[in-house]
Amino acid sequence: MAWVAATMLASLILLAVAGPLVWGTAADRPDLSAVLQGPSAAHPFGTDNLGRDLLARVLAGTRSSLLLALAATLLGATAGVLLGSSTAVVGPRARRGLAALINLLLAFPALLVALFLAVVFGAGADGALLALAVASVPGFARLAQTLAAGVAGTDHLAAARVLGLRRNRLLRRHVLPNIAEPLVLSTTTAAGTALVALSGLSFLGLGVQPPAFDWGQLLNQGLDRIYAQPLPALAPALAILYAALTFQLLGEVLAKGAARRGRPARPAGRPAARSGPADDELVLQVEDLTVELPTPDGVIRPVRGVDLSLRAGEIVGLVGESGSGKSLTALAVADLLPEHARVSRRTLHLLGADLAAMTPKDRHRHLATALAMVFQSPASALNPSLRVGTQLTEAVRAHRGARRAEAVEQATATLHRVALPPAVLRSRPHQLSGGQRQRVMIASGLMVRPALIIADEPTTALDVTVQRQITELLADIRRDTCAAVLFISHDIALVAGLCERVLVMYAGTVVESLPADRLATATRHPYTRALVESVPDLTGDRSRPLRTVPGASPDPLAPAPGCPFEPRCAHRQHRCAAEVPPLTGLDAGHRVACWHPLPPSAVPS
Amino acid sequence: MSVPQWLRHRPWTAFWVRRAARLALSLGIVLTASFAMIRLVPGDPVRAALGVDAAPALVAARRHQLGLDQPFPTQFRHYLDGLLQGDLGTSLVTGAPVAELVRTRFPATLEIALLAFLLTLAVALPGGLLAAVHTRDGRRPHAELAFTALTAGLAGVPDFVAASGLTALLAVALPLLPVAGTAGAGSFVLPVIALALAPTAVLVRIVRVEALKVLSEDYMRTARSKRLPPARLYLRHAAPNMATASLTVAGSLLPAMIAGTVLVEKVFAWPGIGSAMAQSVVAQDYPVVQATVLITGSTVLLAGLLVDMLLALLDPRSAIREM
């Protein structure tokens, strides 16, 4: 696209320079024997009322059309930018006054202002140029004001001010250079607008006056006879269009270029795979689940070979730092990943049905009725413009064919189940508290009577007392409905108190899977142990700083060949850096992915 | 502008007070500008209108008739008095009352401006949503490129150039529609399309970006997790959440569309305020120029107010946010 814009611009400049030299004489040579002719071999676009060749006039008119537009733009931009950017260096009172003035002037369309001023300044090229320049001042001023406001808040301007630099120096050295790029960009677009507006003024008879001419004036003359010959009107119209599109395209190309700058690049990673036993009575059975996401810097693999299974009525915790892949695992199971994500798995069974083998329509229906999701932030996960009642009832109405009255009745009952009054049905999400919203989210999931509830950090956005109410609610629901619950959290203490079984994820893989009651004393993976030890408790020595897991998660773009936790592990040995440890069973219900599992022991305090 | 203490706790009242104050101030600017124009033009407007060789007595009589021989404050008072009584002066060219001309021509301008605005909304809102649905998450990159190129091109077509081109194509080369005038419904088609073309292209791009933003919101993921049918997903869940931003942008396109009627009406000899302005400017018929500038300017301001009111009713937060 860039070379198209460049070619168009070059052709315009060439025409503006060469046009009057080459076609100037032909454009001004009257020929009374060939007045108002249509297109012919001698005059491809016909002739005007003095018999002058219209093709020559359109080509020769390039210079005046372009020069006037550029002059008006530069004049308007200079004045506007000075006015707008001065708001960054004057006091607050003057700044507010200037901003109000710019706002007021912006209410009027530039073309109308230019028209008005052109009348006041008198018809003619100079008047039109000046009128247009003045009319474009508020637009430039507003742009410069917005941009300068960004600069005004920065540290280096504050520092410059402390140094006691004078106002015009501040403006010249510190404000203008920092807003130059977007300004140049808008000036390009504005030049196109100015060309169109000036042509418009000439078209009305207010701009360039005979014997001088530009495209707008040619269009005006051509339009009078458009019924007989369309070409004399069409040719200058096309010329205006060509120039307008050139500037428009140029602006787009410059904007794209500005947006693309500044972005590093790195290549992608390497797969890993594992397997586990199969079972027919499982609500959810996932084996070897891998998610790949293309990013601007290369493909990353945020989930690698995860195995996961839940029985009816079981509540399982999925724990890990942010970025460990736990939420993406949940979204992959629910088939809610973004379009460009690639998911591969050996097994993905929900209620015994193989999701991969289903048609998209069947999979849709099966997921809709068997699975419910509860998302992290109830403030954004509920639609702000729909009533709670609508959001509760729509799923059963769409998938179970429930009638409105039935659905509302069920919604009232479900709200009661999550301890909310029926009046909530009529409210909108912003009228509810955070805890109430999360109850609505849970109720919304319960409406389809799911066999599996995936709760993705359902309490992270809530305060501690509300957190407790929500986890108790989930535990109650599991007991009453026998739904399996997959509880995703970064909070290992919360998970330990709520769940029966815990999976610990690190860098896209499950590193340990164990019964929740073993978390306190019998963790075997160094990462899990570090997580457990980082939990503050009431008996700990408060004079000591809180323990944290030192180091950071590995770079997803450049995975190392060995155990992903190796760089942060206090117990690492030679093998750890070379080979990825598989998830191996230690005894029934306890598996760990570590070459050198820690001995089970009491947690040091 | 600072907010007085008693208004701080009444965001709604404060919003309307500020809005009314701004409107009054802008209307004042329009009034003063339209009054000052005839006094600011270089040379003697009356002599210019009547011709260089007009008898001095006639010029003096016309000046007196226009009140131009009185001091400025008196003239301004007379101007405002006249406006309040619906008197916009008389045309220098035809001698007919300008108020009559405005009354007969204003509806024609309103019709095409309103139709063009509605057409813009009717095409751009569903079009932008549709484009977003089909190109989200980097799907169909070629379609996205084509969409961007097409809308960028159309957004750059000036309204009067579009008007000329459409006339040449659909009225002259293929005589499907009337070249000019107001004969029947067919005569509306070209002026309305010419006015709506570029704004539609601008708006449809912005609506697409807004829709992409809404489609990636958490609540859309919630809605998708309920496996709702696409129509419900996009119309009930997505559309209401992109309405405010889209209408704000649409409203900002409206003033330029009203101003565009001046050029477009000239192309189609449309009997509205715009073509009256175009004619009177060339004929230097200043009372008519004055009145048309006043009317067009006020229309722009009132349209802005209407859009703001609509937005405030639709999304109360937009009004409060302005504080």
Side-chain angles (χ1 to χ4, degrees), chain A residues 1 96 100 103-105 107-109 111-112 115-116 119-122 196 199-201 203-206 219-220 223 226-227 230 233-234 237-238 240-241 244-245 248 252 256 331 334-336 338-340 364 367-368 371 373 375-377 380-386 390-392 394-395 398-399 441 444 456, chain B residues 1-2 22 25-26 29-30 33-34 37 40-42 136-137 139 148 151-158 160-161 164-165 167-168 171-172 179 205 217-229 232 236-238 240-241 255-256 259-260 262-263 266-267 277-278 281-282 286 289 293 296-297 300-301 317:
Chain A
M1 204 146 87
R96 269 204 300 276
N103 248 341
L104 214 56
L105 292 178
F108 302 101
L111 180 68
L112 205 61
L115 198 73
F116 171 81
V119 171
V120 171
F121 295 153
V196 169
S199 305
L201 289 180
F203 173 66
L204 285 176
L206 280 175
L219 176 60
N220 186 15
L223 205 65
I226 193 168
Y227 206 56
L234 217 49
L238 286 177
I240 296 170
L241 187 61
L245 289 182
Q248 175 100 3
E252 298 253 336
K256 280 254 165 64
L331 290 177
D335 192 18
L336 286 173
E339 198 83 14
H340 55 273
H364 228 67
L367 281 169
L371 169 71
M373 296 282 295
F375 293 108
Q376 171 173 358
S377 154
S380 59
L382 289 170
N383 194 319
S385 35
L386 296 180
T390 313
Q391 302 192 52
L392 279 185
E394 59 187 358
H399 300 295
M441 272 304 290
S444 164
D456 186 0
Chain B
M1 275 178 262
S2 61
R22 192 170 354 138
L25 217 54
S26 328
I29 293 182
V30 174
S34 64
M37 180 166 73
L40 286 176
V41 290
R136 66 160 199 269
D137 296 341
R139 283 204 268 181
T148 311
T151 49
L154 289 181
V157 181
F160 64 100
V161 170
S164 311
T167 309
V172 178
V179 173
R205 299 184 78 170
E217 289 282 351
D218 286 354
Y219 55 77
M220 289 308 293
R221 189 179 56 185
T222 307
R224 273 199 291 276
S225 81
K226 293 178 188 168
R227 320 280 157 183
L228 299 173
R232 184 166 182 91
R236 283 291 273 154
H237 282 263
N241 291 300
V262 177
L263 295 168
K266 181 179 155 69
V267 173
M277 189 192 288
V281 159
V282 178
Y286 291 109
V289 179
V293 163
T296 314
V300 166
L301 295 175
R317 286 169 300 176

Side-chain angles (χ1 to χ4, degrees), chain A residues 228-253:
Chain A
Q229 290 142 2
L231 216 50
L234 217 49
L238 286 177
I240 296 170
L241 187 61
Y242 183 72
L245 289 182
T246 302
F247 285 109
Q248 175 100 3
L249 196 63
L250 205 61
E252 298 253 336
V253 168

Side-chain angles (χ1 to χ4, degrees), chain A residues 179-488:
Chain A
I179 63 177
E181 186 172 305
L183 273 179
V184 167
L185 213 147
S186 333
T187 311
T188 312
T189 325
T193 317
L195 184 123
V196 169
L198 268 168
S199 305
L201 289 180
S202 289
F203 173 66
L204 285 176
L206 280 175
V208 176
Q209 301 294 318
F213 58 94
D214 71 344
W215 291 333
Q217 197 195 88
L218 291 173
L219 176 60
N220 186 15
Q221 289 159 1
L223 205 65
D224 290 339
R225 42 199 277 239
I226 193 168
Y227 206 56
Q229 290 142 2
L231 216 50
L234 217 49
L238 286 177
I240 296 170
L241 187 61
Y242 183 72
L245 289 182
T246 302
F247 285 109
Q248 175 100 3
L249 196 63
L250 205 61
E252 298 253 336
V253 168
L254 289 178
K256 280 254 165 64
R260 201 176 293 135
R261 234 159 288 155
R263 212 192 256 165
R266 211 112 52 99
R270 202 184 63 92
R274 280 290 310 140
S275 74
D279 194 323
D280 284 341
E281 291 172 19
L282 294 170
V283 170
L284 176 70
Q285 185 184 13
V286 178
E287 287 180 333
D288 200 8
L289 176 77
T290 296
V291 176
E292 290 185 343
L293 284 175
T295 70
D297 305 322
V299 179
I300 58 169
R301 200 172 271 116
V303 177
R304 316 152 175 233
V306 164
D307 295 350
L308 181 65
S309 56
L310 276 88
R311 291 168 193 287
E314 193 180 26
I315 180 159
V316 173
L318 188 57
V319 196
E321 296 169 304
S322 53
S324 59
K326 51 195 196 307
S327 291
L328 284 173
T329 302
L331 290 177
V333 169
D335 192 18
L336 286 173
L337 284 171
E339 198 83 14
H340 55 273
R342 279 203 305 276
V343 180
S344 67
R345 65 276 182 223
R346 194 167 62 245
T347 316
L348 179 49
H349 289 183
L350 181 61
L351 282 178
D354 184 0
L355 288 176
M358 290 175 156
T359 64
K361 206 177 159 190
D362 287 345
R363 182 166 61 231
H364 228 67
R365 176 162 291 267
H366 190 57
L367 281 169
T369 50
L371 169 71
M373 296 282 295
V374 178
F375 293 108
Q376 171 173 358
S377 154
S380 59
L382 289 170
N383 194 319
S385 35
L386 296 180
R387 288 183 198 285
V388 167
T390 313
Q391 302 192 52
L392 279 185
T393 53
E394 59 187 358
V396 278
R397 294 191 64 195
H399 300 295
R400 300 220 192 269
R403 271 171 312 162
R404 194 183 162 73
E406 290 172 52
V408 169
E409 197 177 310
Q410 197 196 332
T412 315
T414 313
L415 280 180
H416 182 72
R417 179 72 201 76
V418 300
L420 286 175
V424 168
L425 280 180
R426 307 224 18 99
S427 18
R428 286 175 204 276
H430 68 92
Q431 296 166 312
L432 305 176
S433 72
Q436 285 174 319
R437 283 187 210 137
Q438 197 56 291
R439 285 167 193 273
V440 168
M441 272 304 290
I442 293 172
S444 164
L446 289 179
M447 287 291 290
V448 293
R449 303 203 179 95
L452 171 64
I453 299 172
I454 298 181
D456 186 0
E457 303 259 9
T459 60
T460 307
L462 307 173
D463 64 53
V464 180
T465 46
V466 183
Q467 255 186 30
R468 197 181 168 81
Q469 294 168 3
I470 296 293
T471 51
E472 279 170 5
L473 177 65
L474 279 172
D476 288 353
I477 285 166
R478 177 200 51 136
R479 196 189 57 230
D480 299 351
T481 65
C482 260
V485 178
L486 180 64
F487 188 90
I488 300 173

Side-chain angles (χ1 to χ4, degrees), chain B residues 49-162:
Chain B
L50 294 179
V52 195
D53 42 350
L58 181 63
V59 173
R62 199 47 81 78
R63 285 185 66 82
H64 180 71
Q65 185 194 344
L66 290 169
L68 291 177
D69 49 356
Q70 286 166 331
F72 276 4
T74 321
Q75 289 187 34
F76 194 52
R77 211 178 52 241
H78 284 167
Y79 179 60
L80 293 183
D81 279 349
L83 280 182
L84 287 177
Q85 291 159 20
D87 177 11
L88 291 168
T90 51
S91 162
L92 289 175
V93 176
T94 63
V98 178
E100 186 55 35
L101 178 119
V102 168
R103 218 180 342 272
T104 51
R105 283 176 167 251
F106 188 62
T109 296
L110 208 58
E111 274 168 4
I112 52 166
L114 210 59
L115 279 175
F117 188 60
L118 292 179
L119 180 68
T120 302
L121 292 181
V123 174
L125 297 184
L129 179 57
L130 207 66
V133 168
H134 285 288
T135 60
R136 66 160 199 269
D137 296 341
R139 283 204 268 181
R140 298 190 182 82
H142 296 292
E144 185 181 358
L145 189 69
F147 174 86
T148 311
L150 180 72
T151 49
L154 289 181
V157 181
D159 43 20
F160 64 100
V161 170

